[in-house]
Amino acid sequence: MSHQENNRPRPKSLLAAITAACLLSACSLAPKTAMEPMPVPMAWKNAAPAEGWVSAEQARAWSQGQWWLLFDDPVLHGLIARVDLNNQNLKVAAANVAQAQALLRQQQAEFMPQLGAQANQQRSGGEDRATTGSASINLNASWAPDLWGRIREAVNAQSANVQASEADLAGARLNAQASLAEAYLALRATDAEIALMDEIITGYQRNARITQNRYDVGVVPRTDTFQAQSTLQGAQATRVALQRSRAAYEHAIALLVGEAPAGLAVAPAPWVHTVPRVPAELPSLLLLRRPDVASAERAVTAANAQIGVARSAYFPNLNLSASLGAGGAHLADLVSAPSLLWSLGLALAQNIFDAGAREARVEQTMAARAAAVARYRQAALTSMKEVEDQLNALATLAAQTEHMRAAADAAERIEQQQMNRYQAGMASYTEVVQAQASALSARRSLLQLHLQRQQAAVGLIQALGGGWQAPWAASAVPPGG
């Protein structure tokens, strides 16, 4: 047998090597279980007995994630619809999703062979030599089979990162919607307070005229008119401060819908006091679909896959290559069969000594997974705490509102009685002023309690992830699965 025959590749041996490489590529070195399932409570400590849904429409709005419809305010609905269109934080989160998806496609491309082509033509000469030329064209291919699952685990890690970025986008959307709802509800509460102050100012102006008339006829001292004017001016100053607060809420809404404050105006309108009812059954497993909790869980999966990537460095890498080329003095020579050259190759590489770098890399990834697990559990615990806080707030605020409503009614009656007694000469104007201050404080406190109840409902919806279902969670792997 000739020397050339000994160097000729044996197709059967090469095919066997490729087959073995494909079989070995199914290996995975990542831990099979990223973490133990997160324990969640079977019931909420602060959940009061629920009366159930008043209509199927409310349940449908909740399940579809359109929770803002439960507040029965068309202006709020229209503003939240603009969040997805122009909110810049959402655009950043959406760009992060697109970037993660592109990185995933880049990782997946490593499964496939790499193909390349190169063409070259050159002519050279000089005064004392003839002009010569050379031309060549080469096609080459290479493939590194995924022997130990390095590429597969890198793809798994990036797939989890994509899902985490999608959850982050859902979380950014929910945060923007909730922030807008809170700002809008505060604006409407401020509108109600301004309307209350207009009513109060009208009453104070009437009282000031009565006091002035009584002073003019010598029934009361001059100090009564001063007190009446002081009370009136204080109420007018409070109204100006409320206008400033309203402008700030309007500016916050403009920022959330992605517009300049000068380009957005929310006209005054009656405040809808609707407070969404809590569902009759509030499953605690819903917390695991909350965007930030889901993102933290996906981060655990990604960290787990990185362990497999790090462990694959302990094993050798296999690379298969092939090339086909032609060369000659002229372009016409490239199409002649004798000028064709081909080669097939197989290379195996193994790092023998690295002073513990691979072991340190594995330890680093395992520590990163432990940190990701801790962050996930902390996120889940935080979500449970937030739900309990809002359930407790809704229950206590409802009772507090009823007490404050009764107190406001009593304070208004006392104010009217003191004014009647003053006009009858049976009380001083100081007593009238005190009764007016108490009545105004009680009525404003009642409005604030209405606002706090609505904001607590928004907080509960946000703590639960915005609804029963979320489209980004449909394809997510269940935690601990």
Side-chain angles (χ1 to χ4, degrees):
M1 184 178 295
S2 66
H3 178 71
Q4 291 181 349
E5 289 177 346
N6 288 333
N7 293 337
R8 184 178 301 168
R10 293 180 174 83
K12 290 184 178 180
S13 300
L14 187 60
L15 180 61
I18 295 175
T19 303
C22 293
L23 293 175
L24 287 171
S25 66
C27 296
S28 175
L29 299 175
K32 295 188 179 299
T33 303
M35 63 180 174
E36 295 297 324
M38 180 67 194
V40 294
M42 298 301 296
W44 301 106
K45 180 173 65 174
N46 292 289
E51 299 177 6
W53 294 100
V54 295
S55 70
E57 289 299 322
Q58 284 192 340
R60 185 175 300 110
W62 182 282
S63 66
Q64 293 176 351
Q66 297 178 325
W67 53 268
W68 54 88
L69 297 180
L70 303 178
F71 290 89
D72 196 24
D73 192 315
V75 178
L76 175 61
H77 176 57
L79 288 171
I80 287 187
R82 297 163 66 178
V83 170
D84 278 344
L85 298 177
N86 299 316
N87 185 276
Q88 299 305 305
N89 289 332
L90 290 189
K91 292 183 182 294
V92 172
N96 290 339
V97 172
Q99 181 181 3
Q101 291 172 339
L103 289 174
L104 175 60
R105 292 192 298 271
Q106 179 181 340
Q107 293 284 356
Q108 291 171 333
E110 294 190 29
F111 282 117
M112 305 302 294
Q114 302 294 313
L115 303 177
Q118 182 180 6
N120 179 57
Q121 182 178 9
Q122 182 176 357
R123 295 184 64 81
S124 61
E127 294 181 355
D128 55 349
R129 62 177 180 173
T131 300
T132 60
S134 64
S136 65
I137 184 170
N138 293 282
L139 300 175
N140 55 75
S142 64
W143 178 48
D146 191 21
L147 292 178
W148 315 110
R150 179 187 64 83
I151 300 176
R152 174 173 300 179
E153 294 304 332
V155 168
N156 290 340
Q158 189 55 35
S159 297
N161 288 335
V162 169
Q163 292 174 333
S165 64
E166 290 171 344
D168 291 339
L169 172 59
R173 178 179 292 109
L174 179 59
N175 289 337
Q177 291 170 344
S179 297
L180 189 145
E182 290 179 350
Y184 176 80
L185 294 172
L187 182 142
R188 287 296 177 230
T190 305
D191 283 342
E193 282 199 79
I194 291 174
L196 171 63
M197 293 309 302
D198 288 341
E199 177 187 343
I200 293 296
I201 289 171
T202 300
Y204 287 177
Q205 289 172 338
R206 182 176 59 253
N207 293 344
R209 286 193 299 269
I210 293 173
T211 305
Q212 184 65 41
N213 293 336
R214 289 172 63 82
Y215 168 73
D216 291 341
V217 298
V219 177
V220 297
R222 181 69 170 173
T223 55
D224 286 6
T225 62
F226 292 154
Q227 285 183 313
Q229 286 297 324
S230 176
T231 303
L232 174 60
Q233 293 295 329
Q236 291 173 335
T238 300
R239 190 189 187 284
V240 173
L242 289 172
Q243 286 285 7
R244 182 187 63 190
S245 297
R246 189 188 192 280
Y249 292 132
E250 197 173 60
H251 298 164
I253 293 173
L255 180 64
L256 290 166
V257 299
E259 294 189 13
L264 178 73
V266 182
W271 182 19
V272 181
H273 289 183
T274 302
V275 178
R277 292 190 178 185
V278 178
E281 294 183 358
L282 206 60
S284 55
L285 286 175
L286 183 63
L287 291 180
L288 301 182
R289 303 175 74 114
R290 209 173 92 153
D292 58 340
V293 176
S295 177
E297 186 275 330
R298 292 288 81 201
V300 173
T301 301
N304 194 67
Q306 289 295 340
I307 296 177
V309 175
R311 286 176 174 174
S312 67
Y314 284 112
F315 302 94
N317 294 322
L318 178 66
N319 186 72
L320 305 176
S321 62
S323 66
L324 179 65
H330 305 285
L331 290 174
D333 297 336
L334 300 182
V335 297
S336 61
S339 65
L340 292 178
L341 301 173
W342 60 270
S343 67
L344 296 175
L346 183 152
L348 193 66
Q350 170 64 45
N351 193 348
I352 302 300
F353 177 74
D354 62 3
R358 286 170 293 182
E359 182 180 0
R361 173 59 180 165
V362 172
E363 292 177 355
Q364 176 188 350
T365 55
M366 294 183 71
R369 182 187 65 174
V373 170
R375 283 191 292 268
Y376 165 70
R377 292 183 178 276
Q378 184 63 29
L381 290 172
T382 300
S383 67
M384 297 175 198
K385 180 249 185 202
E386 291 176 355
V387 171
E388 294 284 9
D389 286 347
Q390 300 304 333
L391 286 172
N392 181 62
L394 283 172
T396 56
L397 286 171
Q400 191 177 355
T401 300
E402 293 304 316
H403 293 308
M404 184 54 66
R405 182 179 289 109
D409 292 341
E412 287 187 61
R413 289 194 296 269
I414 293 173
E415 177 189 9
Q416 188 59 48
Q417 290 175 358
Q418 291 288 22
M419 192 63 193
N420 293 338
R421 294 180 70 240
Y422 172 73
Q423 292 179 0
M426 300 173 61
S428 66
Y429 199 76
T430 300
E431 295 175 288
V432 175
V433 171
Q434 292 174 348
Q436 289 174 336
S438 297
L440 176 58
S441 176
R443 295 178 69 180
R444 293 188 68 187
S445 296
L446 182 60
L447 290 176
Q448 288 300 314
L449 285 173
H450 284 308
L451 173 61
Q452 290 173 26
R453 289 186 66 194
Q454 287 189 321
Q455 290 181 334
V458 174
L460 176 61
I461 292 169
Q462 189 176 9
L464 291 171
W468 298 115
Q469 297 177 352
W472 51 265
S475 60
V477 178

